[in-house]
Amino acid sequence: MSPQGMVSGCKLVAVLMLWLGPGATVKHTGGAHAAERQEDNTHRSVDLEEVVFVIQSQRNSYHAHRAGQRKVEILQQAAELGKGSPVVLLLHELSEYDGDWSILPALPHLSATYGHSASWFFFIEEETRVRLSALLHAINRYSLQKEWFLGKRLHDKEASIIHHYAFSEDPSSFGYPDPAAGWALSTPLLHRLAARVQHEHLKSDFTIDLKHEIALFIWEEGCGPKLTAVPEFCTEARDDCITTFTTYLPYCGDPVAKKDVFVAVKTCQKFHSERVPVVKATWEKDASLLEYYSDAADASIPTINLGVPNTERGHCGKTFAILRRFLSKAVAKADWLLIADDDTLVSLPRLRRLLRCYNPKEAVILGERYGYSLVQNGYSYTTGGGGMVLSRVAVSLLLSSGCGCFSDDAPDDMVLGRCFTALRVPITHSPLFHQARPEDYPETLISSQQAISFHKHWNIDPVAVYKHWLQDTQPRNEL
């Protein structure tokens, strides 16, 4: 939307408020930074009883355990500080609905249950550490009567496909929070957002990049507040930091063995000479169990024809054929299955390190999590381009359920998500999997990660991308 359009939209809200009169319940204090200019004669200090921490936890047993540990740490620190005890919530425990991870569906509950006593809502990752004394010092700089959206500011260097090329004229003009550093909403803002969630229809049914989409929803095409950058929200430690972050690739012990990960690469005849050589030149060497699946058998690669014709869009038929083969006696038995596209770049050593954190006896589906129609009780799925990892237990549960494709060209990742949602198997998210290229993410964000995958070869040198972002410089002992 143009700046003129944004202003017109904000004026419309103002006209509506005038028409409704002073007794109206519609309240909007975020427009065009007006809140920052309002006088506040009731400024007072906030203690920890007025802070609600929301740890963005997941239902998987490993993540639930880590989030529980973080909760204990925060409450212990609060007890030592002696300035009251905050409310500490685990996001996955707020309701039975798995879509709460997208935050917006959870806002009405947070508003109704805690909004009467809380002044701030602070969202952190499982591995985000918080210094409560520094947090209190920082948030007490901001008026309690105004709408605030605080965090560590990220921005796009160039227009990005994962953000639908928003702000293409000046991508850096729009900021969104780094979730690893934590981000905060003042209660007046959270109340208004909760009301909007209940009464507005979202512009998109898809949740792709949560942090960017949350910021867009809050900004409300110029009517709401932009992100206010707080320098003390950190990912790397400094003396003045409120928050610090450890890693999305924790150490859980020695990596799982190569033989425990079966790799399935989806390809087709037209890409045999273009994409398959890239896989062979980069990450194939790190796999002990790997097969290429195509619509044509090619002994020089070799590829396996599963009897499913190639489709121009979704590859559900091929993916379910791969799942059946994984459980068959035709291939070596493994605990984990990775399904990747032929234009996906993967660090298998890092993946095997990450998989050590998960129990292969659980039904696990792991990757970059997207959502469809989550505010309307939709479902989540692991996006296929970044790579989909499934435990053997999950594959067995899925195939025995009878859930499957409605056509061979249905979107395989979304069908899997719908099926696992019906089976009450949570989608487990790792931001180390990437549906797009490194150029589509803020460099400050991905340079601090140990990425596991990137997707798409267009306008890049995929071998160079692999060497720069995914290949470990220090050799490791391999099993």
Side-chain angles (χ1 to χ4, degrees), residues 7-55:
V7 172
S8 297
C10 295
K11 286 181 177 177
L12 181 61
V13 173
V15 169
L16 178 61
M17 291 173 65
L18 289 172
W19 180 75
L20 289 171
T25 57
V26 177
K27 184 177 180 182
H28 198 310
T29 61
H33 300 287
E36 296 181 29
R37 299 194 298 270
Q38 293 176 356
E39 294 184 0
D40 176 29
N41 297 320
T42 60
H43 188 79
R44 61 177 178 79
S45 295
V46 172
D47 284 332
L48 286 173
E49 292 101 330
E50 296 175 67
V51 179
V52 174
F53 286 92
V54 182
I55 302 175

Side-chain angles (χ1 to χ4, degrees), residues 82-352:
K83 292 191 176 182
S85 181
V87 174
V88 184
L89 307 173
L90 303 188
L91 186 60
H92 80 278
E93 292 181 350
L94 290 186
S95 75
E96 293 297 314
Y97 179 47
D98 279 334
D100 281 347
W101 68 266
S102 62
I103 306 298
L104 295 183
L107 293 183
H109 172 74
L110 293 175
S111 175
T113 308
Y114 304 99
H116 64 285
S117 57
S119 296
W120 290 94
F121 290 79
F122 192 43
F123 298 81
I124 62 172
E125 299 276 72
E126 296 162 9
E127 301 297 333
T128 304
R129 294 185 180 274
V130 185
R131 283 201 307 135
L132 298 182
S133 59
L135 175 64
L136 287 177
H137 178 75
I139 61 177
N140 278 313
R141 299 198 299 256
Y142 302 95
S143 165
L144 298 178
Q145 307 304 315
K146 301 174 184 177
E147 295 190 352
W148 294 105
F149 174 31
L150 310 178
K152 177 184 176 182
R153 189 181 191 272
L154 299 173
H155 64 81
D156 291 341
K157 185 177 180 181
E158 58 185 60
S160 171
I161 187 173
I162 62 171
H163 298 154
H164 305 291
Y165 301 106
F167 306 95
S168 57
E169 293 180 0
D170 184 9
S172 66
S173 66
F174 184 75
Y176 49 96
D178 184 342
W183 53 281
L185 301 176
S186 63
T187 295
L189 177 56
L190 185 131
H191 280 321
R192 187 168 62 79
L193 298 177
R196 287 181 57 205
V197 168
Q198 291 175 301
H199 299 106
E200 291 184 17
H201 181 72
L202 299 184
K203 290 182 170 59
S204 174
D205 288 328
F206 288 91
T207 301
I208 293 176
D209 186 10
L210 176 62
K211 56 189 176 293
H212 190 270
E213 290 159 22
I214 285 285
L216 274 179
F217 185 78
I218 293 170
W219 180 63
E220 199 181 352
E221 297 183 336
C223 295
K226 284 188 175 182
L227 177 72
T228 296
V230 178
E232 297 95 335
F233 285 4
C234 312
T235 47
E236 297 181 358
R238 297 193 315 266
D239 289 343
D240 64 338
C241 284
I242 296 169
T243 56
T244 54
F245 185 74
T246 50
T247 180
Y248 287 117
L249 186 58
Y251 177 75
C252 297
D254 292 335
V256 302
K258 281 186 174 183
K259 64 179 180 60
D260 289 331
V261 181
F262 188 93
V263 180
V265 180
K266 296 185 297 181
T267 187
C268 61
Q269 188 170 19
K270 68 178 180 178
F271 292 134
H272 286 186
S273 61
E274 177 183 339
R275 295 181 179 177
V276 170
V278 174
V279 180
K280 289 184 172 293
T282 55
W283 57 280
E284 183 196 73
K285 65 183 182 300
D286 291 319
S288 65
L289 301 172
L290 183 148
E291 290 186 339
Y292 295 91
Y293 299 107
S294 179
D295 55 340
D298 184 339
S300 67
I301 293 176
T303 62
I304 295 171
N305 184 351
L306 294 171
V308 179
N310 188 53
T311 53
E312 290 300 320
R313 53 193 184 93
H315 305 286
C316 194
K318 181 183 289 184
T319 294
F320 271 77
I322 290 170
L323 297 176
R324 290 190 290 271
R325 181 173 174 84
F326 175 69
L327 293 186
S328 75
K329 295 182 179 179
V331 298
K333 187 175 182 179
D335 288 336
W336 300 98
L337 169 65
L338 166 65
I339 303 176
D341 293 346
D342 53 9
D343 60 345
T344 301
L345 301 168
V346 182
S347 170
L348 288 175
R350 294 177 191 171
L351 174 61
R352 294 192 294 107

